[in-house]
């Protein structure tokens, strides 16, 4: 009987110990507001425009925390571009809204009141509105540009304060395709996926739970 009891106690102890080392998976989410700003818009390898990529943004990320050190989730944001397409032509504004959608991964160093982390996101974006007034006129024809979405990524260093306040800074990269809209109905609209690349610095603050 004693041997059986000892075996049961030993089994319970082994199982309990094994569960103690298994990662705990729980839901986690966050909402952030931020601002991004950059000064170069690249087209291919040769053309670099001095551009104002300034934009406020709002985002929300939801996923699972695996143990105390890893987070994996999906994010959705909205960004409103406000700056000039080319600083040589300050009246030609972006007038563009993008919706980045991405997978987000964080590596976290848990501490009592302040937990630093590194964050990386990879995905793409769509452009629900591009009312850019960037246009070219040749004789009786006018060509205007409408931006399209493309590859999106960001990487940053952040900190969770008191387990609910989030502060993060880093870099975002956004690729844009474009569409030429021609005033003459005899010419079709032209899509081009070999578009522009913009990299910006960002800072954001928000709440996490």
């Amino acid at each position: 009987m004693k041997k059986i009891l000892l075996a049961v106690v030993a089994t319970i102890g082994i199982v309990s110990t094994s569960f103690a080392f298994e990662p705990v998976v729980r839901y986690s989410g966050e909402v952030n507001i931020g601002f991004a700003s950059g000064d170069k818009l690249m087209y291919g390898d040769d053309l670099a425009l001095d551009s104002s990529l300034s934009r406020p943004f709002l985002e929300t990320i939801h996923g699972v925390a695996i143990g105390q050190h890893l987070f994996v989730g999906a994010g959705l944001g909205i960004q409103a571009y406000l700056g000039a397409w080319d600083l040589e032509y300050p009246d030609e504004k972006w007038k563009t809204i993008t919706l980045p959608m991405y997978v987000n991964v964080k590596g976290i160093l848990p501490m009592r009141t302040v937990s630093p982390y590194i964050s990386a996101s990879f995905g793409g974006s769509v452009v629900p509105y591009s009312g850019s007034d960037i246009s070219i006129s040749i004789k009786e024809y006018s060509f205007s540009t409408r931006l399209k979405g493309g590859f999106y990524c960001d990487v940053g260093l952040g900190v969770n304060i008191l387990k609910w306040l989030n502060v993060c800074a880093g870099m975002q990269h956004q690729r844009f395709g474009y569409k030429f809209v021609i005033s003459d109905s005899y010419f079709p609209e032209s899509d081009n996926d070999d578009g522009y690349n913009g990299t910006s610095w960002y800072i954001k603050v928000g709440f996490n739970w």
Side-chain angles (χ1 to χ4, degrees):
M1 187 65 178
K2 289 182 179 180
K3 292 182 179 180
I4 295 175
L5 289 174
L6 288 173
V8 171
V9 171
T11 302
I12 293 173
I14 293 171
V15 171
S16 300
T17 303
S18 65
F19 273 107
F21 284 97
E22 288 185 359
V24 177
V25 177
R26 64 176 180 82
Y27 162 75
S28 180
E30 62 187 80
V31 175
N32 303 299
I33 59 172
F35 187 83
S37 180
D39 61 357
K40 290 291 183 183
L41 187 65
M42 303 297 297
Y43 181 78
D45 297 325
D46 303 322
L47 179 61
L49 298 178
D50 289 324
S51 178
S52 175
L53 301 177
S54 300
R55 59 199 183 274
F57 63 87
L58 173 68
E59 67 177 13
T60 183
I61 302 172
H62 301 269
V64 292
I66 304 173
Q68 294 183 325
H69 300 278
L70 180 64
F71 170 86
V72 180
L76 172 66
I78 180 169
Q79 303 191 356
Y81 284 77
L82 302 177
W85 176 271
D86 187 341
L87 294 180
E88 292 187 6
Y89 306 96
D91 293 333
E92 295 182 348
K93 303 295 184 181
W94 280 86
K95 296 182 180 178
T96 297
I97 294 175
T98 66
L99 300 177
M101 295 173 283
Y102 47 83
V103 173
N104 176 255
V105 179
K106 293 185 180 74
I108 306 165
L109 180 61
M111 300 174 70
R112 179 171 297 180
T113 58
V114 175
S115 297
Y117 66 84
I118 183 169
S119 172
S121 301
F122 300 93
S125 68
V126 297
V127 179
Y129 175 76
S130 177
S132 170
D133 54 7
I134 303 164
S135 62
I136 303 172
S137 295
I138 302 177
K139 295 183 179 180
E140 68 272 23
Y141 305 119
S142 66
F143 302 79
S144 61
T145 302
R146 297 291 181 266
L147 295 174
K148 304 191 304 176
F151 175 72
Y152 171 90
C153 68
D154 69 62
V155 61
L157 294 174
V159 61
N160 289 327
I161 304 171
L162 299 175
K163 297 183 179 181
W164 61 269
L165 178 62
N166 180 52
V167 180
C168 184
M171 298 186 72
Q172 293 181 353
H173 178 81
Q174 173 68 68
R175 182 174 180 85
F176 296 97
Y178 63 87
K179 174 183 289 187
F180 280 126
V181 182
I182 305 174
S183 61
D184 193 315
S185 61
Y186 288 102
F187 293 92
E189 295 182 353
S190 175
D191 289 344
N192 193 327
D193 291 325
D194 297 328
Y196 298 90
N197 293 280
T199 301
S200 306
W201 294 98
Y202 75 84
I203 186 168
K204 62 184 180 181
V205 296
F207 302 96
N208 58 274
W209 55 88

